[in-house]
Amino acid sequence: ILVVDKPADTPIHPSIGNYENTLANGIAWYFEQKGEPFVYRCINRLDRDTTGLIVLAKHALSAAVLSQAMRSREIHRTYQAFALGETAASGTIDAPIARLNGSLIQRTVDFASGEPSVTHYRTLAHCSVFSHLELNLETGRTHQIRVHMAYIGHPLLGDTLYNKTPGTFPRQALHSASLSFVHPITGEPLNFHAPLPEDMQNLLT
């Protein structure tokens, strides 16, 4: 396995308009410099501007084991975020998510046709007009945290897709802070942590 602390403004794989500035390109270069063959196998996914921890499988066996662990909810992910307004001390958002009609990108809460989606959060601090949160996912839907926080009236700072007043923060204020899972080969429990990036740390000052 390879665990990476992804920076902002970095898509995880090439797409239209993003052919070279991706995590996949960077990892391919890394292994080329080491003279090692490598196939890009990304186990958990982060949006382009979400920072923090991603785990990659270095061969097919570990990819299969980790992918099954992800489906079985055995890879535990903790995020930190900054959301608009004063959030409750803690809460659980249980609201199904579907693709928004007419959009290739945007998601929405949809109780008729959405997929089950559950997010747990607790408030770490209230900071002026926003709140610092820790969040744990039971499911891993596209944009889940961003959609759920907007749904309860506390969209993420800087989220131009789901926040009608995103403010001046340059991206959605969301960070993959920790990953916990069992090593796919040895069975050893593993825990990884990544500190808040500088732009999010500055929100605490």
Side-chain angles (χ1 to χ4, degrees):
I1 62 171
L2 178 68
V3 177
V4 178
D5 186 359
K6 187 184 82 67
D9 195 26
T10 306
I12 61 172
H13 52 66
S15 60
I16 295 174
N18 298 289
Y19 299 107
E20 298 179 351
N21 60 323
T22 74
L23 181 64
N25 292 94
I27 297 299
W29 177 87
Y30 171 76
F31 280 98
E32 182 181 19
Q33 300 303 302
K34 291 165 65 70
E36 298 179 15
F38 183 74
V39 176
Y40 186 70
R41 303 177 180 93
C42 187
I43 304 303
N44 64 310
R45 299 174 181 274
L46 297 178
D47 297 334
R48 174 183 182 140
D49 280 330
T50 298
T51 56
L53 296 173
I54 283 185
V55 59
L56 308 173
K58 295 171 69 174
H59 54 68
L61 176 57
S62 62
V65 174
L66 288 172
S67 294
Q68 179 58 47
M70 180 67 77
R71 288 190 294 271
S72 302
R73 302 177 184 176
E74 295 169 355
I75 297 180
H76 303 288
R77 296 160 289 166
T78 300
Y79 291 77
Q80 289 194 31
F82 289 88
L84 189 66
E86 185 171 323
T87 54
S90 62
T92 295
I93 308 164
D94 186 350
I97 292 174
R99 190 188 303 271
L100 183 68
N101 286 337
S103 176
L104 296 175
I105 300 173
Q106 196 166 355
R107 267 60 176 178
T108 187
V109 168
D110 186 336
F111 284 92
S113 58
E115 295 182 285
S117 308
V118 180
T119 303
H120 305 283
Y121 72 89
R122 69 182 183 96
T123 300
L124 301 177
H126 295 300
C127 312
S128 181
V129 297
F130 54 86
S131 299
H132 180 200
L133 306 175
E134 181 180 270
L135 307 104
N136 291 279
L137 302 180
E138 280 193 26
T139 53
R141 310 303 176 200
T142 299
H143 298 174
Q144 178 173 320
I145 289 174
R146 299 166 64 186
V147 171
H148 272 174
M149 293 310 300
Y151 173 69
I152 65 169
H154 297 286
L156 300 191
L157 297 187
D159 191 342
T160 57
L161 195 59
Y162 299 104
N163 187 347
K164 295 180 180 179
T165 55
T168 59
F169 197 72
R171 62 180 180 89
Q172 68 262 11
L174 182 60
H175 176 68
S176 174
S178 68
L179 284 175
S180 300
F181 56 94
V182 171
H183 192 285
I185 307 301
T186 68
E188 176 189 1
L190 299 175
N191 298 282
F192 298 92
H193 303 274
L196 285 174
E198 184 176 2
D199 59 352
M200 290 180 69
Q201 288 185 28
N202 289 341
L203 291 170
L204 295 171
T205 59

